[in-house]
Coordinates of all heavy atoms in Angstrom, one line a residue:
M1 N -16.6 18.4 -8.6 CA -15.4 19.0 -9.1 C -15.2 18.6 -10.6 O -15.5 17.5 -11.0 CB -14.2 18.5 -8.3 CG -12.9 18.9 -8.9 SD -11.3 18.6 -8.2 CE -11.4 17.3 -7.1
T2 N -14.6 19.5 -11.3 CA -14.3 19.3 -12.7 C -12.8 19.3 -12.8 O -12.1 20.2 -12.3 CB -14.9 20.4 -13.5 OG1 -16.3 20.4 -13.4 CG2 -14.6 20.2 -15.0
I3 N -12.3 18.4 -13.6 CA -10.9 18.3 -13.9 C -10.7 18.3 -15.4 O -11.4 17.6 -16.1 CB -10.3 17.0 -13.3 CG1 -10.4 17.0 -11.8 CG2 -8.8 16.8 -13.7 CD1 -9.9 15.7 -11.1
S4 N -9.8 19.1 -15.9 CA -9.5 19.1 -17.3 C -8.3 18.3 -17.6 O -7.4 18.2 -16.8 CB -9.2 20.6 -17.7 OG -10.3 21.4 -17.6
L5 N -8.3 17.7 -18.8 CA -7.2 16.8 -19.2 C -6.9 17.0 -20.6 O -7.8 16.9 -21.5 CB -7.6 15.3 -18.9 CG -6.6 14.2 -19.2 CD1 -5.4 14.3 -18.3 CD2 -7.3 12.9 -19.0
R6 N -5.7 17.3 -21.0 CA -5.3 17.5 -22.4 C -4.9 16.1 -23.0 O -4.0 15.5 -22.4 CB -4.2 18.5 -22.5 CG -4.6 19.9 -22.1 CD -3.4 20.8 -22.3 NE -3.3 22.0 -21.5 CZ -4.2 23.0 -21.5 NH1 -5.2 23.0 -22.3 NH2 -4.0 24.0 -20.7
L7 N -5.5 15.7 -24.0 CA -5.2 14.5 -24.7 C -5.1 14.7 -26.2 O -5.7 15.6 -26.8 CB -6.3 13.5 -24.5 CG -6.6 13.1 -23.1 CD1 -7.9 12.3 -23.0 CD2 -5.5 12.2 -22.5
S8 N -4.3 13.8 -26.8 CA -4.2 13.9 -28.3 C -5.5 13.4 -28.8 O -6.3 12.7 -28.1 CB -3.1 13.0 -28.8 OG -3.4 11.7 -28.6
D9 N -5.8 13.7 -30.1 CA -7.0 13.2 -30.7 C -7.0 11.6 -30.7 O -8.1 11.0 -30.5 CB -7.1 13.7 -32.2 CG -7.4 15.2 -32.3 OD1 -7.8 15.7 -31.2 OD2 -7.2 15.8 -33.3
A10 N -5.9 11.0 -30.9 CA -5.8 9.5 -30.9 C -6.1 9.0 -29.6 O -6.9 8.0 -29.4 CB -4.4 9.1 -31.4
D11 N -5.6 9.6 -28.5 CA -5.9 9.1 -27.2 C -7.3 9.3 -26.8 O -8.0 8.4 -26.2 CB -5.0 9.8 -26.1 CG -3.5 9.4 -26.2 OD1 -3.2 8.4 -26.8 OD2 -2.7 10.1 -25.6
T12 N -7.9 10.4 -27.2 CA -9.3 10.7 -26.9 C -10.2 9.7 -27.6 O -11.1 9.2 -27.0 CB -9.7 12.1 -27.4 OG1 -8.9 13.1 -26.7 CG2 -11.1 12.4 -27.2
A13 N -9.9 9.4 -28.9 CA -10.7 8.4 -29.6 C -10.6 7.0 -28.9 O -11.6 6.3 -28.8 CB -10.3 8.4 -31.1
L14 N -9.4 6.7 -28.6 CA -9.2 5.4 -27.9 C -10.0 5.3 -26.6 O -10.7 4.3 -26.3 CB -7.7 5.1 -27.7 CG -7.3 3.8 -27.0 CD1 -7.7 2.6 -27.8 CD2 -5.9 3.8 -26.7
I15 N -9.9 6.3 -25.8 CA -10.6 6.3 -24.5 C -12.1 6.3 -24.7 O -12.8 5.5 -24.0 CB -10.1 7.5 -23.6 CG1 -8.7 7.3 -23.2 CG2 -11.1 7.7 -22.4 CD1 -8.1 8.6 -22.6
K16 N -12.6 7.0 -25.6 CA -14.0 7.0 -25.9 C -14.5 5.7 -26.4 O -15.5 5.2 -25.9 CB -14.4 8.1 -26.9 CG -14.4 9.5 -26.4 CD -14.8 10.5 -27.5 CE -14.9 11.9 -26.9 NZ -15.3 12.9 -27.9
K17 N -13.7 5.1 -27.3 CA -14.1 3.7 -27.8 C -14.1 2.7 -26.7 O -15.0 1.9 -26.6 CB -13.2 3.3 -28.9 CG -13.6 2.1 -29.7 CD -15.0 2.4 -30.4 CE -15.4 1.3 -31.3 NZ -16.7 1.5 -31.8
Y18 N -13.1 2.8 -25.8 CA -13.0 1.8 -24.7 C -14.1 2.0 -23.8 O -14.7 1.0 -23.3 CB -11.6 2.0 -24.0 CG -11.4 0.9 -23.0 CD1 -11.1 -0.4 -23.3 CD2 -11.5 1.2 -21.6 CE1 -10.8 -1.4 -22.4 CE2 -11.2 0.2 -20.7 CZ -10.9 -1.1 -21.0 OH -10.7 -2.0 -20.1
A19 N -14.5 3.2 -23.4 CA -15.6 3.5 -22.5 C -16.9 2.9 -23.2 O -17.7 2.3 -22.5 CB -15.7 5.0 -22.3
E20 N -17.0 3.1 -24.5 CA -18.2 2.6 -25.2 C -18.3 1.1 -25.0 O -19.4 0.5 -24.8 CB -18.1 2.9 -26.7 CG -19.1 3.9 -27.2 CD -18.8 4.2 -28.7 OE1 -19.1 3.2 -29.5 OE2 -18.4 5.3 -29.0
L21 N -17.2 0.4 -25.3 CA -17.1 -1.1 -25.2 C -17.5 -1.6 -23.8 O -18.0 -2.7 -23.6 CB -15.8 -1.6 -25.6 CG -15.4 -1.4 -27.0 CD1 -13.9 -1.8 -27.3 CD2 -16.3 -2.3 -27.9
R22 N -17.2 -0.8 -22.8 CA -17.5 -1.2 -21.4 C -18.8 -0.6 -20.9 O -19.2 -0.8 -19.7 CB -16.4 -0.6 -20.5 CG -15.0 -1.0 -20.8 CD -14.3 -2.1 -20.1 NE -14.7 -2.3 -18.7 CZ -14.0 -2.1 -17.6 NH1 -12.8 -1.6 -17.7 NH2 -14.5 -2.4 -16.5
N23 N -19.6 0.0 -21.8 CA -20.9 0.6 -21.5 C -20.8 1.6 -20.4 O -21.6 1.6 -19.4 CB -21.9 -0.5 -21.2 CG -22.2 -1.3 -22.4 OD1 -22.4 -0.8 -23.5 ND2 -22.3 -2.6 -22.2
M24 N -19.8 2.5 -20.4 CA -19.5 3.5 -19.4 C -19.4 4.8 -20.1 O -19.0 4.9 -21.3 CB -18.2 3.2 -18.7 CG -18.2 1.8 -18.0 SD -16.5 1.5 -17.4 CE -16.6 2.3 -15.8
T25 N -19.6 5.9 -19.3 CA -19.2 7.2 -19.8 C -17.7 7.3 -19.6 O -17.0 6.6 -18.9 CB -19.9 8.3 -19.0 OG1 -19.4 8.3 -17.7 CG2 -21.4 8.2 -19.0
V26 N -17.1 8.3 -20.3 CA -15.7 8.5 -20.2 C -15.4 8.9 -18.8 O -14.4 8.5 -18.2 CB -15.2 9.6 -21.2 CG1 -13.8 10.0 -20.9 CG2 -15.3 9.1 -22.6
S27 N -16.2 9.7 -18.1 CA -16.0 10.1 -16.8 C -16.0 8.9 -15.8 O -15.1 8.8 -14.9 CB -17.1 11.1 -16.3 OG -17.0 12.3 -17.0
E28 N -17.0 8.0 -16.0 CA -17.0 6.8 -15.2 C -15.7 6.0 -15.4 O -15.2 5.5 -14.4 CB -18.2 6.0 -15.5 CG -19.5 6.6 -15.1 CD -20.7 5.8 -15.7 OE1 -20.6 5.2 -16.8 OE2 -21.8 5.7 -15.0
L29 N -15.3 5.8 -16.6 CA -14.1 5.0 -16.9 C -12.9 5.6 -16.2 O -12.1 4.9 -15.6 CB -13.9 4.9 -18.4 CG -12.6 4.3 -18.8 CD1 -12.6 2.8 -18.4 CD2 -12.4 4.4 -20.3
I30 N -12.7 6.9 -16.4 CA -11.5 7.6 -15.8 C -11.6 7.5 -14.3 O -10.6 7.2 -13.6 CB -11.4 9.0 -16.3 CG1 -11.1 9.0 -17.8 CG2 -10.4 9.8 -15.5 CD1 -11.1 10.4 -18.5
R31 N -12.7 7.8 -13.7 CA -12.9 7.7 -12.2 C -12.6 6.3 -11.7 O -11.8 6.1 -10.8 CB -14.2 8.1 -11.8 CG -14.4 8.1 -10.2 CD -15.8 8.4 -9.8 NE -15.9 8.4 -8.4 CZ -15.9 7.3 -7.6 NH1 -15.7 6.1 -8.1 NH2 -15.9 7.4 -6.3
Q32 N -13.2 5.3 -12.3 CA -13.0 3.9 -11.9 C -11.5 3.5 -12.1 O -10.9 2.9 -11.2 CB -13.9 3.0 -12.7 CG -13.7 1.5 -12.3 CD -14.6 0.6 -13.1 OE1 -15.5 1.0 -13.8 NE2 -14.3 -0.7 -13.1
T33 N -10.9 3.9 -13.1 CA -9.5 3.5 -13.4 C -8.6 4.1 -12.4 O -7.7 3.5 -11.8 CB -9.1 3.9 -14.8 OG1 -10.0 3.3 -15.8 CG2 -7.7 3.6 -15.1
I34 N -8.8 5.4 -12.1 CA -8.0 6.1 -11.1 C -8.2 5.5 -9.7 O -7.2 5.2 -9.0 CB -8.2 7.6 -11.1 CG1 -7.7 8.2 -12.4 CG2 -7.6 8.3 -9.9 CD1 -8.1 9.6 -12.6
M35 N -9.4 5.2 -9.3 CA -9.7 4.7 -8.0 C -9.0 3.3 -7.9 O -8.5 2.9 -6.8 CB -11.2 4.6 -7.7 CG -11.8 6.0 -7.7 SD -11.0 7.2 -6.6 CE -11.5 6.5 -5.0
E36 N -9.1 2.5 -8.9 CA -8.5 1.1 -8.9 C -7.0 1.3 -8.8 O -6.3 0.5 -8.0 CB -8.8 0.3 -10.2 CG -10.3 -0.2 -10.2 CD -10.7 -0.8 -11.5 OE1 -9.8 -0.9 -12.4 OE2 -11.8 -1.2 -11.6
R37 N -6.4 2.2 -9.4 CA -4.9 2.4 -9.3 C -4.5 2.8 -7.9 O -3.5 2.3 -7.4 CB -4.5 3.5 -10.3 CG -3.1 4.0 -10.3 CD -2.1 2.9 -10.8 NE -0.8 3.3 -10.7 CZ 0.0 3.8 -11.7 NH1 -0.5 3.9 -12.9 NH2 1.2 4.1 -11.5
I38 N -5.3 3.7 -7.3 CA -5.0 4.1 -5.9 C -5.1 2.9 -5.0 O -4.3 2.7 -4.1 CB -5.9 5.3 -5.5 CG1 -5.6 6.6 -6.3 CG2 -5.9 5.5 -4.0 CD1 -6.6 7.7 -6.1
E39 N -6.2 2.1 -5.2 CA -6.4 1.0 -4.3 C -5.2 0.0 -4.5 O -4.7 -0.6 -3.5 CB -7.7 0.3 -4.7 CG -8.0 -0.9 -3.8 CD -9.3 -1.6 -4.1 OE1 -10.2 -1.0 -4.8 OE2 -9.5 -2.7 -3.7
D40 N -4.8 -0.2 -5.7 CA -3.7 -1.1 -6.0 C -2.4 -0.6 -5.3 O -1.7 -1.4 -4.7 CB -3.4 -1.2 -7.5 CG -4.4 -2.0 -8.2 OD1 -5.3 -2.7 -7.6 OD2 -4.4 -2.0 -9.5
E41 N -2.2 0.7 -5.3 CA -1.0 1.2 -4.6 C -1.1 1.1 -3.1 O -0.1 0.7 -2.4 CB -0.7 2.6 -5.0 CG -0.3 2.7 -6.5 CD 0.2 4.1 -6.9 OE1 0.6 4.9 -6.0 OE2 0.2 4.3 -8.1
F42 N -2.3 1.3 -2.5 CA -2.5 1.0 -1.1 C -2.2 -0.4 -0.7 O -1.6 -0.8 0.3 CB -3.9 1.5 -0.6 CG -4.0 2.9 -0.4 CD1 -5.1 3.6 -0.9 CD2 -3.1 3.6 0.4 CE1 -5.3 5.0 -0.7 CE2 -3.3 5.0 0.7 CZ -4.4 5.7 0.1
D43 N -2.8 -1.3 -1.6 CA -2.6 -2.8 -1.3 C -1.1 -3.2 -1.4 O -0.7 -3.9 -0.6 CB -3.4 -3.6 -2.4 CG -4.9 -3.5 -2.2 OD1 -5.4 -3.0 -1.1 OD2 -5.6 -3.9 -3.1
L44 N -0.4 -2.6 -2.4 CA 1.0 -2.9 -2.5 C 1.8 -2.4 -1.3 O 2.6 -3.1 -0.7 CB 1.6 -2.3 -3.8 CG 3.1 -2.5 -4.0 CD1 3.4 -4.0 -4.1 CD2 3.5 -1.9 -5.3
A45 N 1.4 -1.2 -0.8 CA 2.1 -0.7 0.4 C 1.8 -1.6 1.6 O 2.7 -1.8 2.4 CB 1.7 0.8 0.7
A46 N 0.6 -2.0 1.8 CA 0.2 -2.9 2.9 C 1.0 -4.2 2.8 O 1.5 -4.7 3.8 CB -1.3 -3.1 2.9
Y47 N 1.1 -4.8 1.6 CA 1.8 -6.0 1.4 C 3.3 -5.8 1.7 O 3.9 -6.7 2.4 CB 1.7 -6.5 -0.1 CG 2.8 -7.5 -0.4 CD1 2.7 -8.8 0.0 CD2 3.9 -7.1 -1.1 CE1 3.6 -9.7 -0.3 CE2 4.9 -8.0 -1.4 CZ 4.8 -9.3 -1.0 OH 5.8 -10.2 -1.3
E48 N 3.9 -4.7 1.2 CA 5.3 -4.5 1.5 C 5.6 -4.4 3.0 O 6.6 -4.9 3.5 CB 5.8 -3.3 0.7 CG 5.9 -3.5 -0.8 CD 6.2 -2.3 -1.6 OE1 6.1 -1.2 -1.1 OE2 6.5 -2.5 -2.8
K49 N 4.7 -3.7 3.7 CA 4.8 -3.5 5.2 C 4.7 -4.9 5.8 O 5.5 -5.2 6.7 CB 3.8 -2.6 5.7 CG 3.8 -2.4 7.2 CD 2.8 -1.5 7.7 CE 2.9 -1.4 9.2 NZ 1.7 -0.9 9.8
A50 N 3.7 -5.7 5.5 CA 3.5 -7.0 6.1 C 4.7 -7.9 5.7 O 5.2 -8.7 6.6 CB 2.2 -7.6 5.6
A51 N 5.2 -7.9 4.5 CA 6.4 -8.7 4.1 C 7.6 -8.3 4.9 O 8.4 -9.2 5.4 CB 6.7 -8.6 2.6
A52 N 7.8 -7.0 5.2 CA 9.0 -6.5 6.0 C 8.8 -7.0 7.4 O 9.8 -7.5 8.0 CB 9.1 -5.0 5.9
E53 N 7.6 -6.9 7.9 CA 7.4 -7.4 9.3 C 7.6 -8.9 9.4 O 8.2 -9.4 10.4 CB 6.0 -7.1 9.8 CG 5.8 -5.6 10.0 CD 4.3 -5.2 10.3 OE1 3.5 -6.1 10.4 OE2 4.0 -4.0 10.4
Y54 N 7.2 -9.6 8.4 CA 7.4 -11.1 8.4 C 8.9 -11.4 8.3 O 9.4 -12.3 9.1 CB 6.7 -11.8 7.3 CG 7.0 -13.3 7.3 CD1 6.4 -14.1 8.2 CD2 7.8 -13.8 6.3 CE1 6.7 -15.5 8.2 CE2 8.1 -15.1 6.3 CZ 7.6 -16.0 7.2 OH 7.9 -17.3 7.2
R55 N 9.6 -10.7 7.5 CA 11.1 -10.9 7.3 C 11.8 -10.6 8.7 O 12.7 -11.3 9.0 CB 11.7 -10.1 6.2 CG 11.4 -10.7 4.8 CD 12.2 -10.0 3.7 NE 11.9 -8.5 3.6 CZ 10.9 -8.1 2.9 NH1 10.1 -8.9 2.2 NH2 10.7 -6.8 2.8
A56 N 11.3 -9.6 9.4 CA 11.9 -9.3 10.7 C 11.6 -10.3 11.8 O 12.4 -10.5 12.7 CB 11.5 -7.9 11.1
N57 N 10.5 -10.9 11.7 CA 10.0 -11.9 12.7 C 9.2 -13.0 12.0 O 8.0 -12.9 12.0 CB 9.2 -11.2 13.7 CG 8.8 -12.1 14.9 OD1 9.4 -13.1 15.1 ND2 7.7 -11.7 15.6
P58 N 9.8 -13.9 11.4 CA 9.1 -14.9 10.6 C 8.4 -16.0 11.4 O 8.7 -17.2 11.3 CB 10.2 -15.6 9.7 CG 11.5 -15.4 10.6 CD 11.3 -14.1 11.3
V59 N 7.4 -15.5 12.1 CA 6.6 -16.4 12.9 C 5.2 -16.6 12.2 O 4.6 -15.6 11.8 CB 6.4 -15.9 14.3 CG1 5.4 -16.7 15.1 CG2 7.7 -15.7 15.0
T60 N 4.8 -17.8 12.1 CA 3.4 -18.0 11.6 C 2.6 -18.8 12.6 O 3.1 -19.4 13.5 CB 3.5 -18.9 10.3 OG1 4.1 -20.1 10.6 CG2 4.3 -18.2 9.2
Y61 N 1.3 -18.7 12.4 CA 0.3 -19.4 13.3 C -0.6 -20.2 12.4 O -1.1 -19.7 11.4 CB -0.4 -18.4 14.1 CG 0.4 -17.5 15.0 CD1 0.8 -16.3 14.6 CD2 0.9 -18.0 16.2 CE1 1.7 -15.5 15.4 CE2 1.7 -17.2 17.0 CZ 2.1 -16.0 16.6 OH 2.9 -15.2 17.4
S62 N -1.0 -21.3 12.9 CA -2.1 -22.1 12.2 C -3.4 -21.5 12.5 O -3.6 -20.7 13.4 CB -2.1 -23.6 12.8 OG -2.6 -23.6 14.1
H63 N -4.4 -22.0 11.7 CA -5.8 -21.5 11.9 C -6.3 -21.8 13.3 O -6.9 -21.0 13.9 CB -6.7 -22.2 10.8 CG -8.0 -21.6 10.8 ND1 -9.1 -22.3 11.3 CD2 -8.5 -20.5 10.2 CE1 -10.2 -21.5 11.1 NE2 -9.9 -20.5 10.5
D64 N -6.0 -23.0 13.7 CA -6.4 -23.4 15.1 C -5.7 -22.5 16.2 O -6.4 -22.1 17.2 CB -6.1 -24.9 15.4 CG -7.0 -25.8 14.6 OD1 -8.2 -25.3 14.2 OD2 -6.6 -26.9 14.3
E65 N -4.5 -22.2 16.0 CA -3.8 -21.3 17.0 C -4.4 -19.9 17.0 O -4.6 -19.4 18.1 CB -2.3 -21.2 16.6 CG -1.5 -22.5 16.9 CD -0.1 -22.4 16.3 OE1 0.1 -21.9 15.2 OE2 0.8 -22.9 17.0
V66 N -4.7 -19.4 15.9 CA -5.4 -18.1 15.8 C -6.7 -18.1 16.5 O -7.1 -17.2 17.3 CB -5.5 -17.6 14.4 CG1 -6.3 -16.3 14.3 CG2 -4.1 -17.4 13.8
K67 N -7.5 -19.2 16.2 CA -8.8 -19.3 16.9 C -8.7 -19.3 18.4 O -9.4 -18.6 19.1 CB -9.5 -20.6 16.4 CG -10.1 -20.4 15.0 CD -10.7 -21.7 14.5 CE -11.6 -22.4 15.3 NZ -12.2 -23.6 14.7
K68 N -7.7 -20.0 18.9 CA -7.4 -20.0 20.4 C -7.0 -18.7 20.9 O -7.4 -18.2 21.9 CB -6.4 -21.1 20.7 CG -6.9 -22.5 20.6 CD -5.9 -23.5 20.9 CE -6.5 -24.9 20.7 NZ -5.5 -26.0 20.9
M69 N -6.1 -18.0 20.1 CA -5.6 -16.7 20.6 C -6.8 -15.7 20.6 O -6.8 -14.8 21.5 CB -4.5 -16.2 19.6 CG -3.2 -17.0 19.7 SD -2.1 -16.7 18.3 CE -1.9 -14.9 18.2
L70 N -7.7 -15.8 19.7 CA -8.8 -14.9 19.7 C -10.0 -15.4 20.5 O -11.1 -14.8 20.5 CB -9.3 -14.7 18.2 CG -8.2 -14.0 17.3 CD1 -8.7 -13.9 15.9 CD2 -7.9 -12.6 17.8
E71 N -9.8 -16.5 21.2 CA -10.8 -17.1 22.0 C -12.1 -17.4 21.3 O -13.2 -17.2 21.7 CB -11.1 -16.3 23.3 CG -9.9 -16.1 24.1 CD -10.1 -15.2 25.3 OE1 -11.2 -14.6 25.5 OE2 -9.2 -15.0 26.1
L72 N -11.9 -18.0 20.1 CA -13.1 -18.3 19.2 C -13.4 -19.8 19.4 O -14.4 -20.3 18.8 CB -12.8 -18.0 17.7 CG -12.5 -16.6 17.4 CD1 -12.1 -16.4 16.0 CD2 -13.7 -15.7 17.7
D73 N -12.7 -20.5 20.1 CA -13.0 -22.0 20.4 C -13.8 -22.1 21.6 O -13.8 -21.4 22.5 CB -11.7 -22.8 20.6 CG -11.2 -23.3 19.2 OD1 -11.9 -23.3 18.3 OD2 -10.0 -23.6 19.2

């Protein structure tokens, strides 16, 4: 798939230089940056869900308790 992006000359130069410094193509840089952003947002959503669940039921388990619950002992 091809995606077009309109950038100012200054932004284009900055992105090209940054990609060069990282030994990447502009396409690789943009793809990697977008994928990292998406992953960060998924991670944040998972954290927020886990934090809300903990606030609703603040129960914790030790490592040994988890091992027993999973029958790993």
Side-chain angles (χ1 to χ4, degrees):
M1 172 180 12
T2 300
I3 297 175
S4 296
L5 181 64
R6 296 185 208 288
L7 299 169
S8 68
D9 290 342
D11 288 346
T12 299
L14 179 63
I15 291 169
K16 284 182 178 180
K17 190 64 174 171
Y18 187 73
E20 249 180 66
L21 291 171
R22 306 256 336 247
N23 294 319
M24 303 171 84
T25 66
V26 170
S27 292
E28 289 170 327
L29 173 65
I30 291 171
R31 181 186 181 285
Q32 180 181 345
T33 302
I34 290 170
M35 297 308 289
E36 286 173 1
R37 174 71 182 260
I38 291 169
E39 182 180 343
D40 289 348
E41 289 189 23
F42 278 132
D43 289 347
L44 180 58
Y47 163 77
E48 289 171 347
K49 181 181 177 198
E53 289 174 4
Y54 176 76
R55 284 190 296 275
N57 184 21
V59 176
T60 60
Y61 300 97
S62 71
H63 188 258
D64 288 335
E65 288 171 321
V66 172
K67 283 173 53 177
K68 286 179 185 175
M69 289 166 52
L70 297 174
E71 299 177 357
L72 298 174
D73 272 342

